[in-house]
Amino acid sequence: MFAYYLDLALRSLKRNKVLTALMVLAIAVGIGASMTTLTVMHLLSGDPLPGRSGQIFFPQVNPDPTRPHAKEPSVVMDYHSAVDLWSSHRADRQALIVDSMIKVVAPDAALPPLRLDMLSTTADFFSMFQVPFRYGSSWSADDDVKHSRVAVISDDLNDKLFGGTDSVGRTLRLGGSDVRIVGVLKPWRPVPLFYEVWGAYTKPQDVMTPFSTGLEINDGHFQQYNCWHIPDTPGHLQDAPCNWVTLWVQLDDAAKADAYRRFVADYAAQQKAAGRFTSTVTRLRDLMQWLDYVGVVPSDVRLQMWLAFAFLAICLFNTVGLLLAKFLRRSGELGVRRALGATRGAVFAQCLVEAGLVGLLGGIGGWLLTLAGLWLMRRQPTDYADIIHLDLPMFLTTFVLAIATSLLAGLLPAVRASRVVPALQLKVL
């Protein structure tokens, strides 16, 4: 029966090509606008560590004595608090993180010095965050302790300095210090860059060194988020009264997360008793909770998405009117079908199949408009422009949304058409 209804729908759409084109265009434009913004929202708000994000946590304490009554702790920690928590080894894995700009030179490459972002972290960073390697591997926990002069570099930097060859064992000069390359990453682009404080959409750092090594070769050049008084030794950040170090921990089950939460709270209470803290407010959010807390998705992206769906609703109402006019103009034809024995349900189904076919055609147009919209988005001066693409879930959503929208638009016209009184229409004929 469906094949028969589909044949009737095709004949009906061919009979009035202008009206058909208007309906398809209304659906296509609405779908194109809404799917462009929905795809961007989907990409920016996705889980950067699928299957692992529930085990990755961001602990917070409030070492700032100028905020004793703050309801939320500081976003990042001072050096001593972060190292105290890290040194306790209460988590399954843990990583200290700071970043800074540094001059990078490859002594055996004929390139001028580069000024790049350097990430200083601990060995667990790579296994915690599932960082993929092309050559070599990460440094060891022993390298963290020994302040080893080693580094891991990005695939982009390896291509730029060494032509993409295996550069493990070669030398980089960071600032005024030589380090040995122990690993080269595969192309790695987490979205967002979740381990950064605000979860930006920038690319990962090109150079990574052990935490202690980074502090030694670039001391005084790390970003400080806030200081509560002037440091006694300017430039020596380990003793600075400033928040600037990030700590991430991996806790493999809920019991460990609860135990670590109590541990952080006890640590804050001990520090307050010792006179170093004035507040015992602490937090332990998992990765997705943290990204939601900092509002990682730009507000203008959310606004654009809602505006696009409002536009889709307008297109939906226009399609309702066009379908209603189309079906009522065929009252005579539908009345004859009823007189020949067709039930109201059969007429209703016939009209819905026609509406669904309009939605399918609109979905094809909407898909093409979505590709065009995403192409334009990739040319915008934003940090996330290079990650914009239409993945398989969004491709399928395009057609599901188009057909669902057209079926919804066809409900009222189909109901009206199914209630045509055969006797009245036969009299007119």
Side-chain angles (χ1 to χ4, degrees):
M1 204 65 179
F2 176 77
Y4 174 63
Y5 292 154
L6 186 60
D7 181 62
L8 290 177
L10 287 170
R11 292 173 182 270
S12 175
L13 295 179
K14 291 178 182 178
R15 193 177 305 143
N16 194 329
K17 296 179 180 178
V18 174
L19 189 58
T20 298
L22 287 175
M23 291 187 294
V24 170
L25 182 62
I27 295 293
V29 172
I31 293 297
S34 57
M35 286 306 304
T36 297
T37 55
L38 181 62
T39 299
V40 175
M41 183 72 178
H42 163 73
L43 294 172
L44 298 189
S45 61
D47 186 346
L49 282 178
R52 294 284 304 279
S53 59
Q55 301 172 345
I56 305 299
F57 292 84
F58 189 79
Q60 294 171 266
V61 297
N62 187 28
D64 186 348
T66 65
R67 302 173 62 242
H69 305 297
K71 294 182 179 180
E72 285 290 333
S74 303
V75 175
V76 291
M77 302 183 199
D78 65 302
Y79 174 84
H80 289 293
S81 299
V83 171
D84 284 348
L85 296 177
W86 177 76
S87 301
S88 68
H89 301 292
R90 297 295 187 96
D92 295 292
R93 292 188 178 96
Q94 49 194 359
L96 295 168
I97 296 174
V98 291
D99 62 356
S100 61
M101 298 294 294
I102 197 166
K103 184 173 73 172
V104 179
V105 178
D108 53 353
L111 285 175
L114 303 172
R115 189 159 182 80
L116 301 174
D117 278 329
M118 179 181 73
L119 184 76
S120 300
T121 185
T122 48
D124 282 348
F125 174 91
F126 301 96
S127 54
M128 272 180 64
F129 298 146
Q130 300 178 323
V131 183
F133 279 83
R134 182 180 297 280
Y135 304 117
S137 62
S138 68
W139 59 83
S140 66
D142 194 44
D143 289 322
D144 285 324
V145 175
K146 293 181 176 178
H147 301 206
S148 299
R149 293 294 198 265
V150 294
V152 169
I153 63 174
S154 69
D155 181 69
D156 285 344
L157 184 60
N158 188 59
D159 288 342
K160 188 177 297 184
L161 297 181
F162 305 109
T165 60
D166 185 353
S167 59
V168 172
R170 301 180 77 166
T171 299
L172 273 186
R173 183 164 297 134
L174 304 180
S177 302
D178 287 345
V179 299
R180 177 173 52 88
I181 298 172
V182 295
V184 178
L185 301 183
K186 290 182 179 179
W188 183 54
R189 182 72 160 91
V191 179
L193 197 63
F194 58 89
Y195 58 81
E196 290 287 355
V197 175
W198 300 112
Y201 294 96
T202 53
K203 294 181 180 180
Q205 291 81 358
D206 286 304
V207 180
M208 302 179 181
T209 63
F211 183 78
S212 53
T213 302
L215 297 190
E216 289 178 354
I217 65 178
N218 211 28
D219 192 16
H221 294 88
F222 294 90
Q223 181 180 2
Q224 301 166 46
Y225 289 90
N226 68 286
C227 297
W228 43 92
H229 63 74
I230 299 174
D232 296 329
T233 308
H236 188 64
L237 291 177
Q238 286 90 326
D239 297 327
C242 306
N243 291 328
W244 60 287
V245 183
T246 301
L247 174 66
W248 287 92
V249 299
Q250 179 180 327
L251 305 165
D252 290 337
D253 56 52
K256 290 181 178 179
D258 290 338
Y260 196 87
R261 188 174 286 106
R262 290 192 298 270
F263 163 67
V264 174
D266 291 343
Y267 173 79
Q270 292 170 2
Q271 294 301 305
K272 184 177 180 181
R276 198 167 74 85
F277 285 10
T278 58
S279 170
T280 58
V281 176
T282 62
R283 294 287 185 273
L284 185 69
R285 295 179 170 93
D286 68 29
L287 174 56
M288 296 307 293
Q289 290 172 337
W290 173 250
L291 294 179
D292 183 61
Y293 170 69
V294 297
V296 65
V297 179
S299 58
D300 60 331
V301 172
R302 295 182 185 274
L303 177 61
Q304 290 168 7
M305 185 188 70
W306 290 118
L307 289 176
F309 273 92
F311 179 69
L312 176 61
I314 295 173
C315 294
L316 173 65
F317 286 123
N318 288 333
T319 306
V320 170
L322 293 172
L323 284 172
L324 188 59
K326 183 177 178 63
F327 291 162
L328 292 182
R329 284 178 59 184
R330 294 165 52 201
S331 297
E333 171 194 331
L334 297 175
V336 170
R337 281 207 67 212
R338 289 291 314 282
L340 292 176
T343 63
R344 285 185 174 180
V347 173
F348 179 80
Q350 175 191 342
C351 294
L352 275 191
V353 169
E354 186 170 336
L357 184 57
V358 170
L360 178 60
L361 296 175
I364 295 173
W367 167 59
L368 296 175
L369 290 175
T370 298
L371 292 178
L374 296 178
W375 180 82
L376 291 174
M377 291 291 294
R378 284 194 293 271
R379 276 144 187 81
Q380 299 301 309
T382 59
D383 290 337
Y384 51 83
D386 63 304
I387 65 171
I388 300 301
H389 68 283
L390 187 70
D391 57 13
L392 180 60
M394 288 295 100
F395 172 78
L396 297 176
T397 301
T398 300
F399 288 93
V400 171
L401 183 60
I403 294 173
T405 299
S406 62
L407 291 177
L408 182 61
L411 282 177
L412 176 60
V415 169
R416 291 288 300 275
S418 66
R419 291 181 178 179
V420 167
V421 180
L424 294 177
Q425 299 303 320
L426 292 176
K427 284 182 180 180
V428 175
L429 295 174

